[in-house]
Amino acid sequence: MSKGPTIRDVAARAGTSTAVVSYVLNDGPRPVAPETRARVRAAIDALGYRPNRSARALRANRTGTLGLVVPDLAKPFFAELTRAIEDAAFARGHRLLVGSAQFDAGHEEQQLQALVDAHVDAVLLAPAHDPAAALELLRRAELPHVLVHRTVGAAPGVAGDDLDAGRRAAAHLSGHGYRRVAVLGAAEGDDPVGRRTRGALAGLAGPPDAVVECAFTDLRGDAYRAATRLLAGPVEAICATTDEHALGVIRAAAEAGRVLGTDLGLISVDGTELGAYLGLSAVTTPFAELGVAAVGAVLDGAPGRTVPMTLVTRSSCGCVAPDAERKRPGPRVPEEGRDASRVRRKEPRSLPPPGS
Amino acid sequence: MSKGPTIRDVAARAGTSTAVVSYVLNDGPRPVAPETRARVRAAIDALGYRPNRSARALRANRTGTLGLVVPDLAKPFFAELTRAIEDAAFARGHRLLVGSAQFDAGHEEQQLQALVDAHVDAVLLAPAHDPAAALELLRRAELPHVLVHRTVGAAPGVAGDDLDAGRRAAAHLSGHGYRRVAVLGAAEGDDPVGRRTRGALAGLAGPPDAVVECAFTDLRGDAYRAATRLLAGPVEAICATTDEHALGVIRAAAEAGRVLGTDLGLISVDGTELGAYLGLSAVTTPFAELGVAAVGAVLDGAPGRTVPMTLVTRSSCGCVAPDAERKRPGPRVPEEGRDASRVRRKEPRSLPPPGS
DNA sequence: TTGAAAGCGATACCAG
DNA sequence: CTGGTATCGCTTTCAA
């Protein structure tokens, strides 16, 4: 019905040409006399004019839209990541097309192709698997892109410092005095879990009690089963390499009647808000910073980079009494160096004897 | 920048006109001879032609894009909802622009305006507050739209049957024999929580032990504090009106050393995958169905409707032994406790018939 | 500084 | 059935 005013209407009302209106709108490429500019501005909001993005996209070859593909939007980590990226994009005046790949390589490729077809200005990809094919697709489309949460080779990427994060998580556990520590992750693999796992192995004060491999698509379930097995043994603490793994451990511990931070030390890497809520200590992803960096990488051509992650201690590792945590939201516990001296589990509660 | 082939290139190679190519592409509006059609098809994939969506959008006034605004993308419920909607949209050949409003009315409006400007074909809105202003905005933009997860007045909406869900959740608790039951929600309010709360009050066999109001923006925290208080008293079971509330209860129960399903009955409404993993019994949202219905509502003009929710029992209400749950994913049946510690609830009765 | 006008690529009318 | 061609709204060159 009311088709909405076009740039011609604005030009007419301002007594000028569409070209000038365009110059005002885009602040270029030609200068406009202040007075003319004012008239145009007045006409614009007198008419309530909104530029037609489709027309602009066709002509200027820019859509003002970014595309993001994540392995699974419903997983807490990727949900938080997506929100951070959407926020960063919105702050830069861009919209975000989101695709969830359901951990399926074929679906991921379809989503990417859809983004290419949609003429997004750039693509952010959190790959579920080896992104080689995806990168090739993006490269052929000559689309600016950046990998998030997973980097590979020389492709631009923004991710946490996973190796360091794993190291610090494990070191923190060692700092508590836990000696029989198991690591849940994957020793191989050039992905976050692999890196964190290797970091954890390096960060432990002694040899690990066990290293358990968990597949990529059912982290929780694998971790749950692994933890259930481990809890039947002498394990004192578990270093999970993602909050998903940690969720599995939390469940297993609950079923085994072990209280986290008291009967079992647990720490992880990711730092989702959900884990936080469950009292999970974790080396935490700075989602907002990561989002800003990723958007900046594609929009400004800023180089990819690894963002530092920070240790946040809560009750699961034993740093804070489970019921005291919420009452003392004060200064966070210091870095690993001082952990052992600061909070040592009071009376290192006796762990269940093996086989009981 | 290799510009990529256009419809003219296809027409040239097929020895026909751009009009005919367009007819083939869109399967209309004019018929095309089978043989010509074949030549066009051949040219299309010989050239690897992809239609320019921006041009199509300008000309046809359709972008093939839907817009969604949710209160907070990082919350598990909305993350799952968003994934379901994205899935439904993708299956219908549409892309999805997502906006997270951060529970802020102003931000929500900005997001909606951005979607209007982006010329999305329709908007799906999960409002955080009274959507009157938002609906007015959408109406003035003459944009097809549908409310999801919250309905109001005559505006088209797709949502779960919240009143019934609350009623069934509470009735299930009563069916277990719990008599001192508290409800966490809000007795007032024309939103899911309000409806579920009123439904719960109606579904209880007797008067509630307590009804606790929880604010909309910090459900978990409010529920946690409320549950902590309640657990100091004689409460036997808690009916949470969302999984967020339930998370607060889960935490409070853990800190109080109460085992869910044994020392405290808990049920909620929402049915997120996360709650499921924590053993939370819940009247569950059929996300996929809801997504399909919502997308259908705006794309086909299908009427809004309420989708039925289904009770899924797990360990938190006492239906399944906490450690048995994972081992038998079959039909859920209440069991007699195998050890005395589970017998805190009165008379383990049978489940209410499904859908009662 | 300003403005007339040439497209961007696809759609669909109207003749043929 | 097929094919010129006007048009969608905006950007930007080129001339004034």
Side-chain angles (χ1 to χ4, degrees), chain A residues 156-214:
Chain A
V158 173
D161 187 341
D162 293 310
L163 198 68
D164 181 60
R167 192 187 57 69
R168 283 162 61 195
H172 183 75
L173 247 23
S174 289
H176 266 290
Y178 297 113
R179 290 183 312 163
R180 312 210 60 153
V181 178
V183 177
L184 262 38
E188 309 287 320
D190 194 28
D191 55 277
V193 168
R195 291 177 185 168
R196 293 169 181 182
T197 303
R198 292 192 292 278
L201 296 178
L204 247 24
D209 207 51
V211 179
V212 181
E213 304 276 328
C214 297

Side-chain angles (χ1 to χ4, degrees), chain A residues 2 50 53 72 83 86-87 96 98 102 111 117 142 220 224 248 251 255 274 277 322 326, chain B residues 2 50 53 72 83 86-87 96 98 100 102 111 117 142 220 224 248 251 255 274 277 322 326:
Chain A
S2 46
R50 318 281 322 186
R53 303 254 179 202
D72 184 353
R83 181 184 54 178
E86 193 276 321
D87 232 29
L96 187 70
V98 174
Q102 269 62 289
Q111 292 280 13
D117 289 346
E142 298 177 52
R220 280 184 211 171
Y224 166 79
R251 180 176 177 122
E255 290 177 4
L274 174 69
Y277 194 76
R326 304 213 113 219
Chain B
S2 47
R50 319 279 322 185
R53 302 259 178 197
D72 184 352
R83 181 183 56 178
E86 192 278 322
D87 232 31
L96 186 70
V98 175
S100 181
Q102 268 62 291
Q111 293 280 15
D117 290 346
E142 297 178 50
R220 280 184 210 170
Y224 167 79
R251 180 176 176 123
E255 289 178 4
L274 174 68
Y277 193 75
R326 303 214 116 217

Side-chain angles (χ1 to χ4, degrees), chain A residues 3-301:
Chain A
K3 285 305 308 153
T6 77
I7 200 173
R8 303 178 81 97
D9 301 317
V10 174
R13 194 176 216 280
T16 182
S17 72
T18 63
V20 171
V21 175
S22 177
Y23 300 152
V24 172
L25 248 28
N26 304 329
D27 215 19
R30 301 262 74 89
V32 175
E35 197 221 303
T36 315
R37 178 185 303 273
R39 283 209 321 282
V40 171
R41 288 252 159 79
I44 285 177
D45 42 51
L47 296 173
Y49 167 76
R50 318 281 322 186
N52 182 321
R53 303 254 179 202
S54 301
R56 182 192 303 235
L58 173 58
R59 185 59 229 239
N61 225 48
R62 294 177 294 103
T63 53
T65 301
L66 302 181
L68 168 69
V69 178
V70 295
D72 184 353
L73 190 45
K75 289 270 184 286
F77 180 88
F78 293 111
E80 288 187 41
L81 179 66
T82 301
R83 181 184 54 178
I85 289 174
E86 193 276 321
D87 232 29
F90 188 86
R92 300 280 244 113
H94 283 249
R95 276 126 331 268
L96 187 70
L97 280 175
V98 174
S100 181
Q102 269 62 289
F103 283 107
D104 177 79
H107 203 301
E108 178 181 291
E109 191 192 325
Q110 288 189 299
Q111 292 280 13
L112 288 174
Q113 185 59 60
L115 294 179
V116 172
D117 289 346
H119 289 240
V120 292
D121 294 338
V123 169
L124 318 208
L125 171 65
H129 309 285
D130 183 333
L135 286 172
E136 179 55 25
L137 173 66
L138 261 8
R139 207 173 293 125
R140 276 206 312 264
E142 298 177 52
L143 216 60
H145 55 271
V146 63
L147 295 179
V148 286
H149 188 52
R150 180 169 178 169
T151 58
V152 53
V158 173
D161 187 341
D162 293 310
L163 198 68
D164 181 60
R167 192 187 57 69
R168 283 162 61 195
H172 183 75
L173 247 23
S174 289
H176 266 290
Y178 297 113
R179 290 183 312 163
R180 312 210 60 153
V181 178
V183 177
L184 262 38
E188 309 287 320
D190 194 28
D191 55 277
V193 168
R195 291 177 185 168
R196 293 169 181 182
T197 303
R198 292 192 292 278
L201 296 178
L204 247 24
D209 207 51
V211 179
V212 181
E213 304 276 328
C214 297
F216 194 54
T217 44
D218 184 20
L219 265 27
R220 280 184 211 171
D222 284 356
Y224 166 79
R225 286 180 284 274
T228 299
R229 255 192 339 270
L230 288 166
L231 289 175
V235 72
E236 291 170 14
I238 292 179
C239 179
T241 48
T242 74
D243 281 9
E244 287 286 309
H245 288 96
L247 274 174
V249 176
I250 288 173
R251 180 176 177 122
E255 290 177 4
R258 305 273 283 260
V259 176
L260 293 179
T262 300
D263 306 322
L264 177 73
L266 173 64
I267 196 170
S268 84
V269 185
D270 261 1
T272 58
E273 191 237 345
L274 174 69
Y277 194 76
L278 297 175
L280 180 61
S281 296
V283 178
T284 299
T285 306
F287 288 101
E289 181 184 354
L290 202 154
V292 169
V295 169
V298 292
L299 251 28
D300 310 325

Side-chain angles (χ1 to χ4, degrees), chain B:
Chain B
M1 245 171 100
S2 47
K3 290 302 314 153
T6 76
I7 199 173
R8 304 180 80 97
D9 300 319
V10 175
R13 194 176 215 279
T16 181
S17 71
T18 63
V20 170
V21 176
S22 177
Y23 300 153
V24 171
L25 247 28
N26 305 330
D27 214 17
R30 301 262 78 89
V32 175
E35 196 220 304
T36 315
R37 176 186 305 273
R39 284 211 319 283
V40 171
R41 288 251 159 81
I44 284 177
D45 44 51
L47 296 174
Y49 166 76
R50 319 279 322 185
N52 183 320
R53 302 259 178 197
S54 300
R56 185 195 303 245
L58 172 59
R59 184 61 233 233
N61 224 48
R62 294 177 297 102
T63 53
T65 301
L66 302 181
L68 169 68
V69 177
V70 295
D72 184 352
L73 191 45
K75 289 267 182 288
F77 179 88
F78 292 111
E80 288 187 42
L81 179 66
T82 301
R83 181 183 56 178
I85 289 174
E86 192 278 322
D87 232 31
F90 188 85
R92 299 280 243 110
H94 284 248
R95 278 129 326 275
L96 186 70
L97 280 175
V98 175
S100 181
Q102 268 62 291
F103 282 108
D104 177 80
H107 203 302
E108 178 180 291
E109 190 192 325
Q110 288 188 299
Q111 293 280 15
L112 288 173
Q113 185 59 60
L115 295 179
V116 171
D117 290 346
H119 288 238
V120 293
D121 294 338
V123 168
L124 319 208
L125 170 65
H129 309 285
D130 183 333
L135 286 171
E136 180 52 25
L137 174 67
L138 261 8
R139 208 172 293 127
R140 276 207 312 265
E142 297 178 50
L143 248 149
H145 55 270
V146 64
L147 294 180
V148 287
H149 187 51
R150 180 168 178 167
T151 58
V152 52
V158 173
D161 187 342
D162 292 309
L163 198 70
D164 181 60
R167 194 185 58 69
R168 283 162 63 195
H172 182 74
L173 245 24
S174 289
H176 266 290
Y178 297 113
R179 288 184 312 163
R180 311 210 61 153
V181 179
V183 177
L184 261 39
E188 308 287 320
D190 195 27
D191 55 279
V193 168
R195 290 177 186 166
R196 291 169 182 182
T197 302
R198 291 193 291 279
L201 294 179
L204 247 25
D209 207 49
V211 180
V212 182
E213 304 277 327
C214 296
F216 194 51
T217 43
D218 185 20
L219 267 26
R220 280 184 210 170
D222 284 356
Y224 167 79
R225 286 181 285 275
T228 299
R229 251 190 345 266
L230 289 167
L231 288 176
V235 73
E236 290 170 14
I238 292 178
C239 178
T241 48
T242 75
D243 281 9
E244 287 285 309
H245 288 98
L247 275 174
V249 176
I250 288 173
R251 180 176 176 123
E255 289 178 4
R258 305 272 282 261
V259 176
L260 294 179
T262 301
D263 305 321
L264 176 73
L266 174 64
I267 195 168
S268 83
V269 184
D270 260 1
T272 59
E273 192 236 344
L274 174 68
Y277 193 75
L278 296 175
L280 179 62
S281 296
V283 177
T284 298
T285 306
F287 289 102
E289 180 184 356
L290 201 155
V292 169
V295 169
V298 291
L299 250 31
D300 309 324
R305 67 189 187 87
T306 101
V307 302
M309 299 175 72
T310 62
L311 173 67
V312 177
T313 55
R314 301 193 182 88
S315 59
S316 77
C317 63
C319 266
V320 185
D323 54 353
E325 180 182 342
R326 303 214 116 217
K327 291 160 195 159
R328 27 178 137 165
R332 316 284 190 175
V333 207
E335 307 175 349
E336 291 294 328
R338 281 170 306 178
D339 64 71
S341 67
R342 292 185 64 245
V343 197
R344 193 187 154 115
R345 53 173 200 259
K346 309 296 173 187
E347 297 173 348
R349 286 207 224 134
S350 55
L351 280 172
S356 71

